[in-house]
Amino acid sequence: MYESSEWKDSPWITLDPEGWAPLTEGRTPAQYRKKAILFHQEDAADAVFIVKSGRLRITSYQEDGAEKQLYIAEKGAMVGESSCLTGAAHQFSAVAIVDSLVWKVPAAELREAMERDWQLTQRVISLLCRKNDVFYRQILDLSFKQATHRIASQLLNLCRQYGKEHEKGVRISIHFTQQDIAGIVNASRVTVGNVFNMFIDQGLLTREGKYFIVTDLEAMQKLCSD
């Protein structure tokens, strides 16, 4: 994996599932097929969800149909904890991007476990802070950066978390779509496609099969800092 400590505000959230053992031990995960909805925005928050394997898209919808993708919950990520702790309805929807195995833990059990297990409580707090970093970065990017810079930033996030050295540069070792990027950077899929094509023409990006390779990492980093 391409090593960098600058990934705490990446919207692709992955954690060690073993850290949730007080909640998941003895519990059988449910299988959610690709595009299955775990819960809708405004549903009552009666449980948290912990990803054992797979990937979930966490999305907020507006009345006019506009969508904002907030983050991607991957292996070990917990979803819905803030609403379960406050008693509020979910402020977003959770959808399986790929076939996923997910533990469902009742909200009451989460609260009881946090009362008796300080390490677990610290882990939940740390996750909430991590998500806050993600949202803060998105606010700054949407306020001050053009779509090109926002897209480049997400490619760098993917390199930091899933990048592997390759003869052509850094290969992003997970499959993602232009629509995934579009949802996160609040741009249309057409815009993302145009920017990807521009990066390819400029020699910053290439594709092999279903995987993308950042061919000039230094230039991509410079583009984000300009």
Side-chain angles (χ1 to χ4, degrees), residues 156-206:
L156 287 176
N157 279 332
L158 287 167
C159 284
R160 289 164 183 146
Q161 288 183 254
Y162 304 105
K164 293 185 177 179
E165 296 298 333
H166 187 277
E167 60 183 357
K168 295 182 180 179
V170 178
R171 177 177 177 267
I172 299 171
S173 61
I174 66 167
H175 174 58
F176 64 94
T177 66
Q178 293 178 357
Q179 186 59 54
D180 292 334
I181 300 295
I184 289 174
V185 303
N186 200 34
S188 70
R189 188 198 60 77
V190 172
T191 295
V192 174
N194 289 338
V195 172
F196 270 46
N197 289 335
M198 181 184 73
F199 287 163
I200 291 171
D201 291 342
Q202 292 177 345
L204 305 180
L205 189 70
T206 190

Side-chain angles (χ1 to χ4, degrees), residues 1 7-8 41 62 75 98 101 123 134 140 148 175 178 180 189 192 208:
M1 181 176 289
W7 54 268
K8 65 184 180 68
Q41 187 171 315
Q62 302 302 308
K75 183 178 179 180
V98 297
L101 289 175
R123 199 162 204 258
V134 172
L140 291 181
T148 301
H175 174 58
Q178 293 178 357
D180 292 334
R189 188 198 60 77
V192 174
E208 286 190 353

Side-chain angles (χ1 to χ4, degrees), residues 23-24 27 45-50 78-81 84-85 103-114:
L23 298 171
T24 60
R27 196 181 299 273
D46 58 358
V48 292
F49 297 82
I50 302 170
M78 176 185 282
V79 177
E81 71 284 354
C84 284
L85 293 176
W103 288 291
K104 184 177 181 180
V105 182
E109 292 187 25
L110 170 67
R111 292 190 292 267
E112 291 168 4
M114 289 176 66

